Amino acid sequence: MYELVVQLLDNSIYRALALFISSFIVAKLFDLILSLFISRMLGKTETDLDDKIATFLRRPVYYTILFIGFNFSLSVVTAHPQIIFVSKGIMKSVLTIFWSRALFKTFMQLVAWYSQRDKSKNNQLIDKKLLPLFDNIGKIIIFIAAVYFIFLSWDVNLTGWLASAGVLGIVFALAAKDTLSNFFSGIFIMADSPYKEGDYINLDTGERGYVKNIGIRSTRIMTRDDIEITIPNSVIANAKIINESGGPYEKERIRVDVDVAYGSDVDKVRKILLQVATGSSNVC
């Protein structure tokens, strides 16, 4: 029996198969240990954030251990170098996709958890309205990183491509200067929050109205004449903004000029105006 085992291990194919089966067993055991650790240790915390992050990372860790065993298996097999290269490239690409998905889910979970923290604090940098923005930025960054590592998995030299991308980036930035200015201004407006949707604002350029929408490119306000005005974020970011709805109360004072004919009874005019004001449910 011992001699049979030795003969089998001397065969590169059987050794590779033994290594791959061993890596599969180790991956299963590690996944089981990680699952028990999550249920026993992380279950004691007040938040379920760490449980979700650990759940996201379980599959990439499992397949990483399998890839390491598969890599060792290929190292002992006397196969054609091209077959080994393609096999490793496929495994690295699959691992990159798994890790990219896990990192993206983890990133969005952290952003959502941070935005839902104590709302009484004034140092909140990320709000719910910023989640779509961080969602898009996170997807772009992780996608670019994933593509980069996939190319590296196939030994593709990206130096020339990166240089070309840098030149194209400069050309694009110059061509879309106004668009990029509005984009970054929109990010700063969302982060700084000088106003929010529903506030009544006045700009030094003369526009005034209720903020209906704060977008990446522009801000839309509705005047009291039911006229919608779209203002580019680059303009509104550099303007002096008077927020009449700001402060701890939602009440606001409105000044209304009233013209009356010469010779009118001022006391009677005052009495009528006060009656109109006190008779309105929208007036304090």
Side-chain angles (χ1 to χ4, degrees):
M1 185 66 182
Y2 175 76
E3 294 179 355
L4 179 61
V5 173
V6 172
Q7 290 177 359
L8 291 176
L9 292 178
D10 287 339
N11 191 317
S12 60
I13 296 179
Y14 288 110
R15 277 192 295 166
L17 183 60
L19 286 172
F20 184 74
I21 294 175
S22 300
S23 64
F24 182 79
I25 296 174
V26 172
K28 280 291 185 182
L29 288 175
F30 192 86
D31 185 65
L32 179 61
I33 294 173
L34 185 61
S35 177
L36 293 175
F37 175 78
I38 293 174
S39 60
R40 296 188 60 181
M41 299 299 296
L42 301 184
K44 299 178 181 179
T45 57
E46 297 180 357
T47 176
D48 60 345
L49 175 65
D50 44 7
D51 302 83
K52 293 181 179 179
I53 293 177
T55 303
F56 295 152
L57 299 179
R58 281 182 59 185
R59 178 175 291 185
V61 172
Y62 173 78
Y63 284 105
T64 300
I65 297 175
L66 279 183
F67 168 72
I68 294 174
F70 184 74
N71 191 30
F72 280 120
S73 302
L74 289 177
S75 63
V76 299
V77 175
T78 55
H80 194 278
Q82 194 67 23
I83 298 177
I84 297 177
F85 173 77
V86 173
S87 301
K88 289 185 177 181
I90 293 175
M91 285 298 299
K92 290 179 181 179
S93 301
V94 172
L95 277 181
T96 301
I97 293 173
F98 276 117
W99 277 105
S100 300
R101 291 182 59 187
L103 291 176
F104 174 74
K105 291 180 179 179
T106 301
F107 171 76
M108 288 308 302
Q109 197 66 42
L110 287 172
V111 172
W113 169 80
Y114 185 82
S115 65
Q116 294 173 359
R117 290 198 312 169
D118 189 3
K119 296 298 182 180
S120 62
K121 297 180 180 179
N122 296 324
N123 58 351
Q124 289 286 345
L125 178 62
I126 303 174
D127 202 353
K128 286 184 177 180
K129 62 178 178 291
L130 286 179
L131 289 181
L133 174 64
F134 278 89
D135 181 27
N136 294 327
I137 294 178
K139 285 180 180 178
I140 293 173
I141 294 176
I142 295 176
F143 175 77
I144 293 175
V147 172
Y148 176 76
F149 283 109
I150 288 176
F151 276 112
L152 289 183
S153 302
W154 297 95
D155 293 338
V156 178
N157 189 1
L158 297 178
T159 304
W161 290 31
L162 291 176
S164 301
V167 175
L168 290 176
I170 295 175
V171 174
F172 176 77
L174 293 176
K177 180 178 63 175
D178 294 337
T179 302
L180 291 176
S181 177
N182 291 327
F183 174 77
F184 287 110
S185 297
I187 295 176
F188 297 146
I189 289 173
M190 291 181 179
D192 189 46
S193 297
Y195 50 84
K196 62 182 182 297
E197 293 184 2
D199 287 355
Y200 189 85
I201 61 174
N202 297 331
L203 304 181
D204 56 359
T205 53
E207 293 85 0
R208 60 177 60 193
Y210 293 97
V211 179
K212 303 299 293 184
N213 178 263
I214 304 174
I216 295 297
R217 193 195 68 84
S218 61
T219 297
R220 298 180 181 180
I221 64 175
M222 182 72 69
T223 66
R224 289 197 172 97
D225 298 325
D226 289 335
I227 298 175
E228 185 178 84
I229 303 177
T230 301
I231 306 173
N233 286 331
S234 59
V235 174
I236 202 169
N238 296 319
K240 178 182 177 181
I241 303 173
I242 301 175
N243 189 350
E244 295 189 2
S245 301
Y249 304 105
E250 295 182 356
K251 302 174 184 178
E252 59 184 84
R253 174 183 293 178
I254 299 177
R255 293 180 174 85
V256 181
D257 295 330
V258 179
D259 296 330
V260 294
Y262 287 105
S264 300
D265 188 346
V266 178
D267 293 332
K268 186 176 181 181
V269 171
R270 184 191 300 273
K271 181 180 179 181
I272 294 175
L273 292 177
L274 288 175
Q275 289 176 353
V276 172
T278 55
S280 174
S281 60
N282 295 323
V283 177
C284 298

